[in-house]
Amino acid sequence: MHEAERAATVVRALAKGLAPRVGLILGSGLGSIADAIEDAVDIGYQELPGFPASKVAGHAGRLVVGRLAGTPVVCLKGRAHLYEGAPAQALQVPVRTLKLVGCSTLFITNAAGSTRRTLKPGALMLISDHVNLTGMNPLIGANDDNFGPRFPAMEDAYDPELRADLLRLATGVRVRLREGVYLACLGPSYETPAEIRAFATMGADAVGMSTVPEVIVARHCGLKVAAISVITNFGAGLGELSAAHERVLDIAATAARDLGRLIQAWLAELAQTAP
Ligand code: HPA
């Protein structure tokens, strides 16, 4: 059996009849969003076949099932990154597991650096599109036709309807939400000032080391995607606040409160609609 199918069997047993609609992947320092999950049951990634364990500070490596604002969710606290050295294909399993347990939407959060002086640390950026500069793609290798096509489209990868909903809801809960393009680098070194200038010219508003592989796997298997970056620092050469990791986690924790409110407002609205 496929690893994602085995992992899904474990998650279904854990969920005890709850039918998850939404998968949440929480990025660096954003794991506290999962604290509001009711009737939460959780399990370590080491118990889930094919789940790559993350060893980075701020990434817990636990899957949590339960209800958040009335909607059944599966939450992935922590993720593996390409820079940790796992093959890009290893990032398929967690996302496909979410699909197999019945989720129709994937909501991703991450910490990112800004390429624009007007997008300041502490801001929340709804991702409207991405540029993949990791040099990798998680779909390299034989295509699994059970999940999706060989050449999946990446137009409207970040669901336009979902984005409109989130922008509307953000106003309602008094959260300032900007939209922008996320550019993914391989890492783990941060960017040079020349790279940040180049990325801004290319149309990127924020830069990070995650999310894009998961989005590609999710779109391939037909999950709807929404993603929000917490801007934790200015990119190199743009300002005082550098990207030293502890500081990144600190700012992420503050913005996580706003982001948590927004996610809960969205899930509360979703709970009113039929799956
Ligand atoms: N660059 C890349 N990844 C990041 C950054 C950054 O400035 N901040 C948080 N993640």
Side-chain angles (χ1 to χ4, degrees), residues 34-227:
D35 294 347
I37 296 179
E38 287 160 24
D39 306 321
V41 273
D42 72 335
I43 191 166
Y45 286 176
Q46 69 278 7
E47 316 277 340
L48 293 162
F51 268 56
S54 173
K55 295 171 193 71
V56 184
H59 292 266
R62 296 195 77 76
L63 178 148
V64 189
V65 187
R67 281 180 193 278
L68 189 52
T71 293
V73 299
V74 180
C75 181
L76 305 186
K77 283 176 82 169
R79 55 153 73 87
H81 301 83
L82 293 172
Y83 61 73
E84 293 176 78
Q89 291 82 352
L91 302 188
Q92 292 173 352
V93 177
V95 173
R96 289 181 174 174
T97 301
L98 297 174
K99 171 78 180 180
L100 289 173
V101 299
C103 294
S104 54
T105 304
L106 176 62
F107 195 110
I108 304 181
T109 67
N110 63 40
S114 167
T115 67
R116 314 232 180 254
R117 281 185 204 285
T118 50
L119 189 62
K120 296 193 168 66
L124 294 178
M125 187 189 89
L126 179 64
I127 301 179
S128 58
D129 205 347
H130 74 224
V131 177
N132 181 10
L133 281 194
T134 64
M136 303 252 199
N137 193 300
L139 301 177
I140 287 171
N143 185 56
D144 189 337
D145 298 329
N146 293 316
F147 285 102
R150 171 75 288 186
F151 300 109
M154 288 292 137
E155 233 173 327
D156 288 337
Y158 301 82
D159 192 77
E161 242 178 82
L162 257 173
R163 275 157 49 204
D165 287 345
L166 287 163
L167 287 167
R168 169 177 53 77
L169 288 162
T171 311
V173 293
R174 296 183 188 286
V175 167
R176 183 154 187 225
L177 185 62
R178 258 80 70 75
E179 267 196 300
V181 172
Y182 176 89
L183 183 144
C185 288
L186 182 57
S189 52
Y190 285 114
E191 302 70 33
T192 64
E195 285 168 339
I196 293 295
R197 287 194 300 275
F199 296 164
T201 307
M202 289 167 72
D205 302 290
V207 55
M209 305 172 193
S210 68
T211 302
V212 163
E214 288 106 327
V215 171
I216 292 171
V217 177
R219 293 305 300 143
H220 177 252
C221 68
L223 287 168
K224 282 196 213 173
V225 171

